[in-house]
Amino acid sequence: MQLYIGGYAQGKLAYVQEKLKGQEVPVVNDLHLWVKQLLQEGKPAEEIVLQYYKEHPDCIFICDEIGNGIVPMEKQEREYRERVGRLLIRLAEEAETVERIICGMGQKIK
């Protein structure tokens, strides 16, 4: 599994697509939005994402960094950010590769 993180509109998907060059690998883009949708539906988001990883160990997760910046006033938004952050920690522990993308350029973390 590979994990790519970075700010909004930093070229994460294009970076990953360039690295893949046509390889057939499951890519989950906007992981943070998938988690948000699952939480809004009352589903166990972390369990679902981790199960997906177990079923697709060669997958690539792409996620915006949502923990930076102004802390939201709404409790639900703060909890969402916290849960995404903790999920990213778990995924990073399991990942073979972790990169942060800034201006379309990768910075290897792991």
Side-chain angles (χ1 to χ4, degrees):
M1 182 251 293
Q2 298 175 48
L3 176 62
Y4 295 88
I5 59 171
Y8 177 76
Q10 291 298 311
K12 297 177 293 296
L13 181 59
Y15 180 85
V16 168
Q17 289 171 331
E18 178 64 26
K19 283 187 85 166
L20 290 177
K21 295 193 181 190
Q23 296 177 49
E24 292 295 322
V25 177
V27 176
V28 176
N29 189 26
D30 294 327
L31 174 64
H32 59 289
L33 296 179
W34 184 29
V35 169
K36 186 174 212 168
Q37 178 185 355
L38 292 169
L39 292 173
Q40 288 172 341
E41 294 171 358
K43 296 180 179 175
E46 295 88 350
E47 291 176 29
I48 291 171
V49 172
L50 293 172
Q51 182 61 38
Y52 181 88
Y53 160 59
K54 288 179 185 174
E55 293 171 5
H56 307 280
D58 61 336
C59 71
I60 294 175
F61 289 112
I62 302 173
C63 187
D64 281 5
E65 291 178 333
I66 60 170
N68 296 330
I70 299 170
V71 177
M73 298 270 301
E74 301 83 15
K75 181 180 178 183
Q76 182 179 2
E77 284 295 312
R78 290 192 308 272
E79 289 176 358
Y80 155 66
R81 285 170 47 147
E82 178 75 20
R83 289 177 74 174
V84 169
R86 295 202 182 274
L87 176 60
L88 289 175
I89 291 168
R90 290 183 67 183
L91 292 174
E93 289 172 352
E94 298 287 328
E96 298 169 19
T97 302
V98 179
E99 287 190 53
R100 182 171 187 233
I101 312 304
I102 303 168
C103 298
M105 299 172 62
Q107 179 182 32
K108 187 172 182 163
I109 297 173
K110 176 180 177 185

